[in-house]
Amino acid sequence: MAPSVQGNKRKEIGTDIHGNEEAFSEDEFETGIFDGTLSQGEDEESESGPEDEDEESGARSVEEIDSEDLDLEDEEIQSARLDSGPKKLAAGFVKKGTNTCDSSQRPDIDSTERINAPERDRTNKIEERRDKLPDSKPNYRVTKDANGNPRYIYDEIDPVYDSDDSDAPAHTNTIGSIPLSFYDSYPHIGYDINGKKIMRPAQGEALDALLETVDLPKGWTGLTDPATGKPLKLSQDELEVLKKIHMNEIPEDGYDPYPLMIEYFTSITEIMPLSAAPEPKRRFIPSKHEAKRVMKIVRAIREGRILPYKLPPTEDEADSDVVRYDIWANEKSRSNHPMNIPAPKLPPPGYDQSYNPPPEYLPSRAEQKAWEEADEEDRTEYLPTQYDALRKVPGYDKFVKERFERSLDLYLAPRVRRSKLNIDPESLLPKLPNPDELRPFPTTCATLFRGHKGRVRSLAIDPTGTWLASGGDDGTVRLWELLTGRQLWDVKLSTEEAVHVVRWRPSSENTILAAATGESVFLVVPPIINPDIETSSRELLEVGWAYTANRATSTTSNGTKKEVPAHWVRPSSHLQESGVLIHIQLRKPVKVISFHRRGDYFVTVSPEGQTSAIAIHTLSKHLTQIPFRRLKGMAQTAQFHPTKPVLFIATQRTIRSYDLVRQELEKILQPGARWISSLDIHSGGDNLIVGSYDRRLLWHDLDLSVRPYKTLRYHSKAIRAVKFHHGGLPLFADASDDGSLQIFHGKVVGDLMQNATIVPLKVLRGHQITGQLGVLDLDWHPSEPWCVSAGADGTCRLWM
């Protein structure tokens, strides 16, 4: 529909137009700036007839000019415009309700005709003027709507902005949050505010060629605006913000990073004039009126005018003269007789929770003692107690506890009735066999061996189980009869060094004892054994001298003689007379000796040696080899596998197993101990035990894991030695500095689905702690459940 201009929109701005008449010159109208006429008021539209409808519609079709810009105030401005010429639209600037004709010259025309006549003249002049304008074609079409009424359809406005003004807004992409990747297959990248396509800017070689021909503008970033696809340019303000951010400054101007602290509360204590505390008792003023009333009642009681309450007499007291007979006094039991009337039952006793219950409910001393000794959860909630009066009943002793538990119940609010689990703590422990069922194992000290001066550092029982060899700080090796404790033989190997270790060769055909003192290892054949065995043992040691004489000396690449790892020499004559046949001189002090199961090889451990810490010796060839150039860590002990060509070497924290045939590392065990002291391998070869100076005994299952299967902590001080029983009995033991030995049952089965059974059996005590050292070494009898121990108190003990 055609727009309507209301007459009440006009404002009086005629003073501006009057002062600037040149704004409405003919040249401006000829250029078509004001294309249209001003509409009349509502009173003029109501007076105009239907025959003026076409004229009004034609006049309204032209673009209307707002009456606020072109209203005139008085008739002088209107007349001035009428006199300026036919090209001025004077008729269009007539103020509502004014008349340009002189009323004295036309007195016979009424007010309506005087208004309509100028209107028609103005309309005719506007039509003529519009025909002369270059763009006089109306910008709408008149059609009929569904009801037959005229409908005005305006042409679409061309939004093209052809000005060269640099302030004109750029085309803005209106696709919103839609990714630009959706337009990859189209030549445009979106639409502007008028719905026109925004074409994709030049890219690739064309853009590179363009950038090479022009200088980089200020604000050029080399980035692409994701909304337009054009190079992103930053303004001066944005560059300043980025510069401040790069300099770790506040982007916002005027920001104070250190504002003054605003105290949220004052430090002045305000005193409240009002108080909600109760009035103290010292302010109480007794009432004199109440005192008079109380004294009046007291006086009446004293005079007898007020008597205490007296119960009314009962029927028994009132009828005291009536004689009553007990008809059931001599009653005989006739329960089945039809005329039998049994005696009435006695009233039940009182309540047991009363402060004065009947005697039937009072517990006896035995019941009271049993109630007190019972567990708090198993006994009843209360015990009936008798008091003479209610005032003598004490307060409930569990009142605070029950209130606290009730508060916890309300706070936690489980809302679930939980059934109490009565679990016996003993049932949670593993079912171990009774130690009495695991006999035999050593329990008592049967023999005491005395003779060493100082500590006894090592001992060993020969393969036949007849003799016991021991070595101590006095530098001597002593041979004892095991059952009697009688010393049979001794030899002094050193006057300065102690005998650190003694070991027997594991063979009953040849009896050879190895003892280490300092850097020397001595091979001894005691002269007290069977002569035939002594002869065969000497011949075994004498064979190796032929290999020593024929062995060629090895040299290095420079031609110098290579240093041998050990020297095999004959000892002095007085040692040879005592049975010491071979002296092996090493580089560092020897602490451990361990024989191979065949008896031809034994390994020595020198913890202080770097490259020569582990040495393997061959008895039949008098040969010493150093298998490792350098070990990772300080070597502590070493032992051969009982059935395989594997050597176990223990350092401070790890145990490494080496395959001697393939000459490679097989496995690394991690016991988790801080400092390993000793180890021993089970006769089956799949389990080993480790003792440590941090009071732990560790059981390793080699098929299970590199970590220990069990960790046992039964000692209060360091563990010095551990040993399995290699005679077929499931026993093992450890010795500690706390002066005790722990005997264990360790059963190993061949079934891989069943783990080893470890049961502690007995603690053996008898050695005295000397210099914070207790039991230093132990060994088992080859066939009997007997063990021997060496102590720092200078004694050895046989436990049976």
Side-chain angles (χ1 to χ4, degrees), residues 526-543:
I528 61 172
I529 59 176
N530 189 351
D532 296 337
I533 297 177
E534 181 182 358
T535 303
S536 62
S537 300
R538 287 177 176 271
E539 291 177 355
L540 178 62
L541 295 179
E542 292 292 335
V543 171

Side-chain angles (χ1 to χ4, degrees), residues 164-181:
D164 294 336
D165 190 1
S166 60
D167 294 335
H171 297 293
T172 304
N173 202 344
T174 59
I175 62 174
S177 59
I178 298 176
L180 285 178
S181 60

Side-chain angles (χ1 to χ4, degrees), residues 765-795:
R765 301 181 185 274
H767 289 279
Q768 301 295 327
I769 300 176
T770 305
Q772 297 183 354
L773 296 177
V775 184
L776 301 181
D777 197 8
L778 66 91
D779 196 9
W780 287 95
H781 191 276
S783 58
E784 300 293 337
W786 304 341
C787 70
V788 290
S789 59
D793 55 355
T795 63

Side-chain angles (χ1 to χ4, degrees), residues 16 169 213 268 341 347 358 414 449 523 539 569 595 616 699 727 779 794 798:
D16 296 339
T213 56
I268 301 174
I341 301 177
F449 305 87
L523 299 180
E539 291 177 355
V569 297
F595 273 90
I616 298 178
W699 179 291
D779 196 9
L798 171 63

